[in-house]
């Protein structure tokens, strides 16, 4: 079997919809993608990495290319509709000008968070539009509240905690507490935040196995809310000591720095993975615990450490806490990023539907390291090394992302 030829065909099918819309593309880019697809033959023969993370085999390549095509064709249009036709019009009607500005900013500047998180609407049974709606609403709550906390000059932890009660209410079917703006300087959002919470709760009611995953989701949601409170404290110098004390209280296991635990708590990916699992009626609580153990802290840590990695200059300028700055050196930082990549691949390998989870893991450096901020900050050498560690599939995804953006994501 000439697997390289077969995988080149997958690439052609994947980008073919761009051509059918009359678009033109770069033969050099497509040729590179085809060569990377052929390189899957090499990946299939690669020995395990020193950290135990395997190269992508043929099954993983086929799954990744199929998933990427399904995502572009069936998920992204739903995300775009939810953001542009539901939540953005609602945000523009918010009476308070500051809340309105922050809501609109979160939906425009951070829309790629919802676009990325919605990959978890791809289930083995097909794309779940209800899961797209749930994930988009939940991620929108996350981004909106993060904006409100970032822009708050008071740094009141009680206010941050009360705002994030919306996050907690969105992830439970118990009676919502409401009054989210009770301690906030601005309060009239015209029902925007309550509508987002209601959308999430409606989505939860449609998941047959939500009771089986609810306990793990509650734990992760609490950690996320705690992080948001502590990382926005004033004075700024109080943040790191409080986060370190929290880490020692919550995570007694060895092998992590406090800032790595904090980063992992800031990721929504484990929650999204649990919501995806809850679409299957036969999921049990022990399976939910296994899934979380695979994702946290490895996948979640990789996710948010990469986010902070590309935002170092921006956070320095804004005097914001950056969770890769505590590393002793750039070399240690880059080594730990590679460690998290290998750890995430190894941790998710035993999971059912492992090719899906590996697609997500390899896609994280592919996505984040596409940002122009990487080379603008002189991070290219470390980024290239990390992409090498992601294997030929990771490198192919890195090249494919801008192609998807050009031909599919913004297509009319």
């Amino acid at each position: 079997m000439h697997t390289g030829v077969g995988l080149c065909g997958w690439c052609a099918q994947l980008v073919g919809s761009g051509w059918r819309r009359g678009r033109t593309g770069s033969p050099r880019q497509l040729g590179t993608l085809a060569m990377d697809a052929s390189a899957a033959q090499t990946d299939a023969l690669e020995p395990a990495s020193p950290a135990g993370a395997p190269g992508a085999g043929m099954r993983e390549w086929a799954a990744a290319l199929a998933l990427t095509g399904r995502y572009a064709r069936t998920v992204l249009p739903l995300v775009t509709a939810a953001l542009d036709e539901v939540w953005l019009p609602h945000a523009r009607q918010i009476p308070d000008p500051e809340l309105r500005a922050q809501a609109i900013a979160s939906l425009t500047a951070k829309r790629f968070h919802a676009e990325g998180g919605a990959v978890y609407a791809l289930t083995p049974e097909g794309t779940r539009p209800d899961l797209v709606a749930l994930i988009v609403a939940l991620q929108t709550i996350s981004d909106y509240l993060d904006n409100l906390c970032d822009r708050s000059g008071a740094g009141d932890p009680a206010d941050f905690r009360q705002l994030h009660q919306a996050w907690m209410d969105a992830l439970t079917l118990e009676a919502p507490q409401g009054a989210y703006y009770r301690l906030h300087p601005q309060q009239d959002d015209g029902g925007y935040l309550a509508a987002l919470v209601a959308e999430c709760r409606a989505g939860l009611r449609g998941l047959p196995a939500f009771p089986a995953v609810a306990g793990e989701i509650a734990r992760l949601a609490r950690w996320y809310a705690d992080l948001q409170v502590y990382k926005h404290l004033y004075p700024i110098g109080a943040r790191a000591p409080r986060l370190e004390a929290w880490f020692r209280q919550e995570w007694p296991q060895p092998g992590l720095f406090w800032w790595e635990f904090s980063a992992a708590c800031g990721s929504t990916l484990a929650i999204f993975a649990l919501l995806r699992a809850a679409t299957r009626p036969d999921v049990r609580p022990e399976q939910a615990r296994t899934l979380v153990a695979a994702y946290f802290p490895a996948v979640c840590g990789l996710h948010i450490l990469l986010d902070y990695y590309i935002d170092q200059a921006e956070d320095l300028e804004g005097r914001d806490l950056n969770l890769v700055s505590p590393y002793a050196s750039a070399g240690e930082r880059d080594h730990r990023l590679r460690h998290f990549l290998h750890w995430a691949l190894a941790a998710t390998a035993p999971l059912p539907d492992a090719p899906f989870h590996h697609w997500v893991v390899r896609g994280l450096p592919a996505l984040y390291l596409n940002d122009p901020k990487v080379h603008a900050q002189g991070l290219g050498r470390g980024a290239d090394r990390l992409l090498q560690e992601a294997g030929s599939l990771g490198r192919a995804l890195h090249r494919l992302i801008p192609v998807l953006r050009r031909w599919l994501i913004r297509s009319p």
Side-chain angles (χ1 to χ4, degrees):
M1 174 180 175
H2 297 287
T3 52
V5 173
L7 286 166
C8 290
W10 275 100
C11 282
Q13 290 175 24
L14 184 61
V15 299
S17 57
W19 286 331
R20 285 192 296 273
R21 291 186 179 93
R23 296 178 180 269
T24 57
S26 160
R28 182 181 61 81
Q29 286 179 311
L30 293 176
T32 303
L33 288 173
M35 287 189 290
D36 275 333
S38 297
Q41 298 175 82
T42 303
D43 245 358
L45 300 175
E46 283 178 359
S49 73
M58 302 310 300
R59 177 168 169 260
E60 188 178 331
W61 262 91
L65 293 170
L67 285 164
T68 305
R70 282 179 56 203
Y71 169 70
R73 292 191 307 272
T74 67
V75 173
L76 279 173
L78 295 174
V79 176
T80 299
L83 292 174
D84 295 345
E85 299 173 23
V86 178
W87 298 117
L88 196 54
H90 200 156
R92 288 176 175 144
Q93 298 302 313
I94 293 175
D96 184 274
E98 177 63 18
L99 297 180
R100 181 171 65 248
Q102 296 308 326
I104 293 172
S106 72
L107 288 165
T108 52
K110 298 181 178 181
R111 68 182 294 136
F112 76 95
H113 291 168
E115 290 172 342
V119 300
Y120 287 92
L122 293 170
T123 72
E125 294 74 32
T127 299
R128 293 281 300 246
D130 59 331
L131 207 48
V132 174
L134 169 54
I135 288 170
V136 169
L138 187 60
Q139 187 61 54
T140 299
I141 292 173
S142 168
D143 292 334
Y144 174 55
L145 296 183
D146 188 54
N147 273 21
L148 294 186
C149 293
D150 276 342
R151 301 301 179 266
S152 172
D156 179 5
D159 177 25
F160 300 156
R161 183 75 64 186
Q162 187 65 22
L163 285 171
H164 278 86
Q165 188 58 48
W167 169 258
M168 302 300 294
D169 284 353
L171 286 166
T172 181
L173 292 179
E174 296 177 5
Q177 295 190 18
Y180 308 128
Y181 297 102
R182 182 169 57 86
L183 302 174
H184 199 67
Q186 298 84 31
Q187 300 192 0
D188 188 2
D189 76 347
Y192 177 71
L193 188 52
L196 285 164
V197 172
E199 178 74 18
C200 292
R201 291 165 63 87
L204 297 183
R205 285 191 287 272
L207 299 177
F210 179 71
V213 304
E216 289 300 305
I217 284 180
R219 179 166 66 106
L220 293 167
R222 177 177 62 82
W223 276 346
Y224 178 89
D226 286 347
L227 172 72
Q228 291 299 315
V229 172
Y230 302 145
K231 81 167 190 169
H232 289 106
L233 290 176
Y234 281 90
I236 294 173
R239 297 174 183 177
R242 185 64 188 90
L243 287 169
E244 185 170 6
W246 173 57
F247 160 68
R248 297 191 186 285
Q249 171 189 323
E250 296 286 345
W251 195 262
Q253 297 95 316
L256 281 185
F257 293 115
W258 67 261
W259 57 90
E260 294 171 341
F261 172 77
S262 296
C265 290
S267 173
T268 51
L269 295 189
I271 291 176
F272 294 161
L274 286 166
L275 295 174
R276 178 179 183 265
T279 61
R280 303 194 307 274
D282 60 342
V283 167
R284 299 291 178 262
E286 57 270 20
Q287 293 170 298
R289 289 191 289 271
T290 298
L291 180 58
V292 172
Y295 263 72
F296 192 98
V299 180
C300 293
L302 175 66
H303 173 206
I304 301 300
L305 288 171
L306 282 167
D307 193 52
Y308 279 106
Y309 179 73
I310 67 171
D311 282 347
Q312 291 176 81
E314 183 179 307
D315 288 342
L316 182 64
E317 181 180 353
R319 299 182 68 231
D320 292 324
L321 177 69
N322 185 286
L323 292 176
V324 300
S325 62
Y327 286 116
S329 66
E332 182 185 44
R333 176 199 66 206
D334 293 353
H335 170 76
R336 291 298 287 178
L337 282 171
R338 295 193 299 271
H339 167 74
F340 269 87
L341 172 62
H342 293 311
W343 187 9
L345 288 169
T348 51
L351 291 176
D353 201 11
F356 169 84
H357 300 290
H358 276 187
W359 175 64
V360 171
V361 171
R362 296 186 196 273
L364 288 171
L367 173 65
Y368 279 97
L369 300 181
N370 253 295
D371 197 295
K373 290 183 285 189
V374 171
H375 290 281
Q377 296 173 84
L379 299 172
R381 185 174 180 182
D384 289 346
R385 174 78 184 275
L386 187 59
L387 285 169
Q388 284 295 119
E389 299 285 336
S392 57
L393 176 53
R395 295 190 297 275
L397 290 171
H398 181 256
R399 292 185 175 96
L400 184 56
I401 284 169
V403 177
L404 282 173
R405 283 173 174 160
R406 183 175 300 119
W407 291 337
L408 300 172
I409 295 178
R410 303 301 178 207
S411 62

